[in-house]
């Protein structure tokens, strides 16, 4: 099990939180995703999943992950 924390831009409400958690949970190999609205971050527990696949799942539903 690995854990990745990503910054996410654009999450403001609890529906945003639920949407991002749901989108990540649907990625193959992801066990769990928890958004912190206060920190503008999501922490993901997953198997060997490329970071880019996590980023894509977030960006596909309209949120941004800053590069860097
Ligand atoms: Mo409510 Mo969160 O419109 O975008 S889903 S702010």
């Amino acid at each position: 099990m690995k854990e990745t924390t990503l910054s996410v831009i654009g999450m403001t409400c609890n529906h945003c939180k639920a949407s991002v958690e749901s989108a990540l949970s649907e990625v193959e190999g992801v066990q769990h995703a928890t958004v912190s609205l206060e920190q503008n971050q999501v922490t993901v527990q997953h198997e060997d999943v490329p970071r880019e696949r996590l980023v894509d799942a977030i960006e596909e539903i309209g949120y941004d992950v800053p590069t860097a």
Side-chain angles (χ1 to χ4, degrees):
M1 182 89 78
K2 298 181 178 184
E3 184 171 274
T4 299
T5 297
L6 299 169
S7 293
V8 181
I9 295 170
M11 302 184 298
T12 55
C13 73
N14 272 302
H15 182 223
C16 298
K17 170 178 161 74
S19 296
V20 170
E21 290 171 346
S22 174
L24 285 165
S25 295
E26 286 170 15
V27 175
E28 187 174 349
V30 170
Q31 272 78 39
H32 198 70
T34 306
V35 163
S36 167
L37 290 175
E38 294 76 12
Q39 297 183 87
N40 293 297
Q41 285 180 345
V42 61
T43 300
V44 188
Q45 284 84 34
H46 56 88
E47 304 300 340
D48 206 356
V49 177
R51 176 194 161 93
E52 194 58 27
R53 200 166 298 165
L54 304 177
V55 172
D56 285 349
I58 296 169
E59 293 187 336
E60 274 170 14
I61 60 165
Y63 302 94
D64 287 326
V65 177
T67 51

